[in-house]
Amino acid sequence: MKRNLFIAVVVLLLGGGGFLLYYFSDQQVIIRRCHGVAAALAKKGAESPVVLALKMKEVKDFLAPACEVVVPEREYREVLDSGLAIRYLIMYRSRRADLQVTFAEILVEIPSKGRAEVSALVQVTGNRNRPDFFAETHRLAFSLIKQEKVWLLHRVILPDALVRS
């Protein structure tokens, strides 16, 4: 009986330890962070300035102080400070009655310690029940760096269709 109990406890500890290692792995932390940012970008109707500020805080906390933005179709490449990137996102959201952003697929590669390359399929839907309704799917690629134990967006490659809409 004691032996069975000991084996059960060991298996439970190993299983729990394995789950914690998986849950707090860099890949899973990045995936959860991306989903959190997508939720923060979502918009349902008019928002008060306080709600907008709280949502954009999560996005700003994900951006590195200087983030390189690349739009290959336009041959555009510029390093933006996080404040300017947030202003662009606020303007993008303000043109929509509602907005839903979801990641359908996130592939994370960690080529070296403190660096990550992410490829994500993002679905953007907006202005439901309106004549200007849109639903788009885009492939994004971005690079993250780990600073002070936090993953920050350092470089993003955006398709032209997402920037001009």
Side-chain angles (χ1 to χ4, degrees), residues 48 68 129:
S48 71
E68 181 182 15
N129 302 322

Side-chain angles (χ1 to χ4, degrees), residues 88-100:
Y88 169 77
L89 289 171
I90 289 171
M91 288 178 58
Y92 182 87
R93 291 175 80 247
S94 71
R95 295 189 306 253
R96 275 75 178 144
D98 65 71
L99 184 67
Q100 183 67 37

Side-chain angles (χ1 to χ4, degrees), residues 7 28 35 39 54 62 64 75 125 142 158:
I7 291 172
Q28 292 304 309
H35 287 300
L54 290 173
F62 187 56
E75 296 180 10
T125 308
F142 44 96
L158 299 171

Side-chain angles (χ1 to χ4, degrees), residues 45-54:
E47 296 175 330
S48 71
V50 173
V51 170
L52 177 62
L54 290 173

Side-chain angles (χ1 to χ4, degrees), residues 91-165:
M91 288 178 58
Y92 182 87
R93 291 175 80 247
S94 71
R95 295 189 306 253
R96 275 75 178 144
D98 65 71
L99 184 67
Q100 183 67 37
V101 179
T102 56
F103 284 103
E105 170 184 312
I106 303 174
L107 304 171
V108 180
E109 269 187 48
I110 302 179
S112 63
K113 187 173 176 86
R115 300 191 75 65
E117 299 296 325
V118 179
S119 174
L121 193 62
V122 65
Q123 297 171 335
V124 182
T125 308
N127 296 338
R128 287 188 190 98
N129 302 322
R130 295 175 54 120
D132 57 346
F133 170 80
F134 66 94
E136 304 170 346
T137 301
H138 302 284
R139 173 70 60 187
L140 303 180
F142 44 96
S143 300
L144 302 169
I145 54 172
K146 194 170 190 179
Q147 292 180 340
E148 299 175 14
K149 298 183 181 182
V150 177
W151 286 101
L152 300 175
L153 183 68
H154 177 68
R155 179 176 189 246
V156 63
I157 300 172
L158 299 171
D160 182 53
L162 190 59
V163 175
R164 66 179 151 83
S165 60

